[in-house]
Amino acid sequence: MSKYKIEEVAKQCGLTKRTLRYYEEIGLLFPAERSEGGYRLYTDKHIERLKQIMSARDVLGFSLQEIQEFISISEQFDHQRQIIRDIVDKQARLEKLSEVEETLLKQLSLIDQKLEKMNAIRRDIYQLFDQVVTAKQKLQTDRE
Amino acid sequence: MSKYKIEEVAKQCGLTKRTLRYYEEIGLLFPAERSEGGYRLYTDKHIERLKQIMSARDVLGFSLQEIQEFISISEQFDHQRQIIRDIVDKQARLEKLSEVEETLLKQLSLIDQKLEKMNAIRRDIYQLFDQVVTAKQKLQTDRE
DNA sequence: CGAAACGTTAACGTTAACGTAAATGTTGGT
DNA sequence: ACCAACATTTACGTTAACGTTAACGTTTCG
């Protein structure tokens, strides 16, 4: 797997080097391996994670703290998969799965609420747009 | 039209009094009329505007500055309607309308981009959710 | 092997979006 | 007329999310 130095990653993601270090500092981005001389060596996993972060930040308008919680769930999922595999008792396994399911359902409903509100805003703007187009057409037919 | 004192408005909108004054201070919320003794007297227009602001802030994740620009367009529209009515020259009227149309189109595409990204996030989460549900079903059928 | 380009930590600076406190004035009911 | 509840301005405080600078080590390339 290829490794990238900090500037490369920053450019690819449209972030600054400071931001990458900051995200690591607050525990939002898991630390990268270091080179002999102490340089950070990022992997594709880091880039993938950064895209998730930016997506949540820009699209959902989440604070970095909220992103922590939000992302930690999909991360926990990978983690939980190991745990779940290790659970021998079927009843306990079911409960663990149900727990994860519930969390995901909450996130889905949260996103659905946002989607609905965004669509409402879109409708409002479209209505304005429609009025303008109609007004233009009227002007142009009047002209003939 | 009824007038409201600041606390009433704050409660209705789920904001603090400080926030209302702050929004006025930075020019985001147009100033309210004052009572004899200097109390702010808000109208339904203010409440309507505040809902727009909160919507843009919470749903679109906009900064207050971005909201300024964003909202000023629908406000300009009302304003422009007067201007447009006053324009006698049909050619100039058409141009003004086209100008507004273009701005609205930009906003629509901006929102559409956000909607698309949000749907992508939703799909990701749903996929996880689906995996969990499948795992649960498998566990339960195995049981019989 | 030497310099330019890139990296590191540490620490202080900045901006947005309010919170909070103090000192003071206003309203509404009894 | 008075008091409790609400309002005002002014000004300093706070937090998140970085920006910036300094002092210094590392890589790379001719």
Side-chain angles (χ1 to χ4, degrees), chain A residues 5-7 17 21 34 38-40:
Chain A
K5 278 185 288 182
I6 197 166
E7 197 161 71
K17 294 181 278 182
R21 296 198 194 98
R34 297 302 183 103
Y39 281 22
R40 263 166 265 253

Side-chain angles (χ1 to χ4, degrees), chain A residues 28 56 60-72:
Chain A
L28 188 53
L60 301 180
F62 280 5
S63 74
L64 298 187
Q65 270 216 18
E66 287 171 317
I67 297 178
Q68 287 270 27
E69 299 160 21
F70 192 84
I71 282 188
S72 76

Side-chain angles (χ1 to χ4, degrees), chain B residues 92-123:
Chain B
R93 251 167 112 160
L94 262 175
E95 277 172 27
K96 215 54 179 132
L97 280 171
S98 298
E99 197 182 297
V100 176
E101 184 188 7
E102 201 182 334
T103 311
L104 289 174
L105 267 181
K106 272 185 201 160
Q107 299 211 345
L108 278 176
S109 98
L110 204 153
I111 288 198
D112 285 343
Q113 278 177 39
K114 286 222 177 197
L115 276 170
E116 208 173 308
K117 285 184 188 171
M118 252 176 108
N119 274 312
I121 295 177
R122 206 211 120 95
R123 273 194 295 278

Side-chain angles (χ1 to χ4, degrees), chain B residues 6-7 21 34 39-40:
Chain B
I6 196 167
E7 196 161 73
R21 296 197 194 99
R34 297 300 183 104
Y39 281 24
R40 265 167 264 254

Side-chain angles (χ1 to χ4, degrees), chain B:
Chain B
M1 204 193 284
S2 36
K3 317 257 172 163
Y4 317 94
K5 279 184 286 180
I6 196 167
E7 196 161 73
E8 166 106 33
V9 178
K11 273 186 187 166
Q12 260 214 27
C13 298
L15 298 170
T16 69
K17 294 182 276 182
R18 170 63 168 126
T19 299
L20 293 186
R21 296 197 194 99
Y22 177 67
Y23 285 178
E24 181 183 325
E25 187 184 328
I26 64 172
L28 187 55
L29 184 63
F30 48 94
E33 191 194 345
R34 297 300 183 104
S35 79
E36 183 78 8
Y39 281 24
R40 265 167 264 254
L41 298 174
Y42 293 97
T43 70
D44 293 303
K45 288 253 169 198
H46 288 93
I47 294 180
E48 195 185 329
R49 161 65 71 101
L50 281 169
K51 302 225 159 138
Q52 278 182 55
I53 292 175
M54 293 169 62
S55 178
R57 194 190 60 175
D58 299 340
V59 183
L60 302 180
F62 281 6
S63 73
L64 298 187
Q65 270 217 18
E66 287 172 316
I67 296 178
Q68 286 270 26
E69 299 160 23
F70 191 85
I71 283 188
S72 75
I73 279 136
S74 83
E75 193 171 70
Q76 265 182 42
F77 187 66
D78 288 341
H79 183 54
Q80 300 259 14
R81 279 174 80 173
Q82 291 306 324
I83 294 180
I84 289 168
R85 277 184 212 292
D86 293 349
I87 297 177
V88 198
D89 180 26
K90 285 192 180 176
Q91 188 57 38
R93 251 167 112 160
L94 262 175
E95 277 172 27
K96 215 54 179 132
L97 280 171
S98 298
E99 197 182 297
V100 176
E101 184 188 7
E102 201 182 334
T103 311
L104 289 174
L105 267 181
K106 272 185 201 160
Q107 299 211 345
L108 278 176
S109 98
L110 204 153
I111 288 198
D112 285 343
Q113 278 177 39
K114 286 222 177 197
L115 276 170
E116 208 173 308
K117 285 184 188 171
M118 252 176 108
N119 274 312
I121 295 177
R122 206 211 120 95
R123 273 194 295 278
D124 284 355
I125 297 180
Y126 188 77
Q127 202 179 323
L128 282 183
F129 174 73
D130 201 47
Q131 285 176 34
V132 172
V133 170
T134 310
K136 273 184 70 179
Q137 281 174 352
K138 213 175 165 193
L139 250 184
Q140 284 183 323
T141 53
D142 280 3
R143 208 173 186 181
E144 296 165 340

